[in-house]
Amino acid sequence: MKVVKFGGTSVSSGKQIEKVFNIVMSDQDRKIVVVSAPGKRFADDIKVTDLLIECGEKYLQNQEAEDLVDAVISRYASIANELNLPNSIIETIYKDVLSRLNGDKSKPIHYMDAIKASGEDNHAKLIAAYFRHQGIEASYVNPKEAGLIVNGSSGNARVLPESYDRLYSLREKPGIVIFPGFFGYNNEGEIITFSRSGSDITGSILANGIKADLYENFTDVDAVYSVNPNLVKKPKEIRELTYREMRELSYAGFSVFHDEALIPAFQAGIPVNIKNTNNPSAKGTRIVNQREHRNGPVIGIASDHDFCSIYVNKYLMNREIGFGRKLLFILEEFGLSYEHSPSGIDDLSIILRQSQMDAETEKRIIKRIYEELGPDEVKVEHNLSLIMIVGEGMRHNIGTAARASNALAEAGINIEMINQGSSEVSMMFGVKQAQENRAVQALYEEFFAGVLV
Ligand SMILES: Nc1ncnc2c1ncn2[C@@H]1O[C@H](COP(=O)(O)OP(=O)(O)O)[C@@H](O)[C@H]1O
Ligand SMILES: N[C@@H](CC(=O)OP(=O)(O)O)C(=O)O
C-alpha cells in the first residue's frame, strides 16, 4: 500500500487534477492521497494559502476583503468548471470559507490557522468529488476523524505518537482516501497547521501510520537535483539519497521536500520517492536508509540566506566554565533559536536567522553580553548565506574541505566561517549573501563536473 502526496503545483488547475487522477488510477497500491491547496499555475501566480492569509489578516482588522474572498473562490470555481463538477461543490466551499472568516476572533492565532487550513481542507473535498464523478469509490477524510492529533503552536504542529496507531485503520477504509495536508487537530479540537509547505509532513505521517510500503511525493520536477535548478542550468539528477543527506539538504534550502517530513517515514523505515506529476514515468529520486556510493564525496549542494552571526571573543574563553551556556541563555531569554555555533579557543559565533532579531533586540543583546560575560569583543554580522555541501561519501574521502575552499578562493569568494557538522555528512560555509549564487556555482563545478550521481 502506498501514500501519494500531490503538492500545490500538482493540484493547481483542473488539467493538473486530471493528471493526478490518472496517476492514482494507474497503480492500485495508491490508496491514500494527500493533497495541498491549489498552488501556482505560473511563476507570478498566487498560492491559495497566501490569498487566505491575506484575507484572514484583513478580517482580523475588520477591513474589507471581498476581492480576496472572490480570488479564493474563483480558483476553486475555475477548477470545478474545468472538471465539469456541479456548482454545489463551490457553494459548499464558499459557505465554509465565509463561516471560518466570520468565526471566533478571540484567539487570532487559532482563527488564522483555521483559515489557512481551509485551503487544503476544501481542495480535498473537491478532489474527492471529482474521483466520485469519474465513477471511482473515494472519500474525503478529515484529520480529526482519522486521529491525526498534534500539539505545538500555530505553524509549528508536532504529531503526537498515538496518532500513528489511530491512522492505521485508514487501511480498512473502502476505496481511495483523499486527505487534506498541512494541518492536524490538538486535544482541544483546535486546528493547528504545520509550517509552510507542510503537506509533505502530513504525507509522511500517514505513510508511517498505515505502515505504507512507499511514500510517493509528487511535485513539478523530474528529480531532486544536486543543486537548486534555479541556480545552475540542468543540474545533475540524484537517483538515490539517504534520509540523513536529504534532511541536511532540505534544511539548507532544497525546498522540493520539507525537512521535517523525513522523520516519520524514516522512523518506520519507509522509502520516499520524489516524482513528477507532469512526467510520472520518470524514475524520480528515492530516499532510503543506505545507498551505494558510486559518485564522489558530495551528493548535493544547498544554500539559504538571511542569516546573521554574533561573534564573541574573550581571551581564555576555553577555561571559563559555563561561558557558552550563559551566552545561549541570553538568547533564550529573548526567545531566539540558533542554527549553528562554530567556535575556537577564544571565540564563539552564534548563527541565527536574522528575521528573529530587530535592531532594538540586537542592541539589548549586545549590551547584556558585555555586562554579563565581560568579552573583549562582540560583533554582529548581517546578510550571510550558508552553503551546505552534503554527502555520506565525505566520511571516506579526505580533502573535501580543501577542494571546497580552493574552489571558493578561485572564484574570489571570501569564506566568513566553516563548520563541519559532527554528523560528518555535511560541511557548512558562511559567505556574504551577495556572493551566494557564485559560491554555489563554483562548488558545483568543483564537485560535479563529470561525476555520475
Ligand atoms: N535541489 C532541488 N531539486 C529539485 N527542485 C528544487 C531543488 N531546490 C529547490 N527546488 C525547487 O522545488 C520546487 C518544488 O517544490 P514546491 O514548489 O514546494 O512543490 P509542490 O508545489 O509540489 O509542493 C521545484 O520546482 C524547484 O524549483
Ligand atoms: N498550502 C500550504 C502547504 C503546502 O504543502 O503547500 P505546497 O505543497 O504548495 O508546498 C503552503 O502553501 O504552505
Side-chain angles (χ1 to χ4, degrees), residues 93-112:
I93 293 175
Y94 183 53
K95 265 194 209 145
D96 177 78
V97 172
L98 276 191
S99 95
R100 292 183 200 231
L101 286 168
N102 293 316
D104 178 9
K105 298 194 183 86
S106 63
K107 291 185 191 166
I109 287 171
H110 290 299
Y111 172 81
M112 284 303 293

Side-chain angles (χ1 to χ4, degrees), residues 5 7-9 36-37 39 47 49 120 182 196-200:
K5 179 257 170 177
T9 48
S36 290
K47 286 173 133 192
T49 309
E120 327 324 86
F182 192 39
R196 290 301 304 268
S197 291
S199 301
D200 288 344

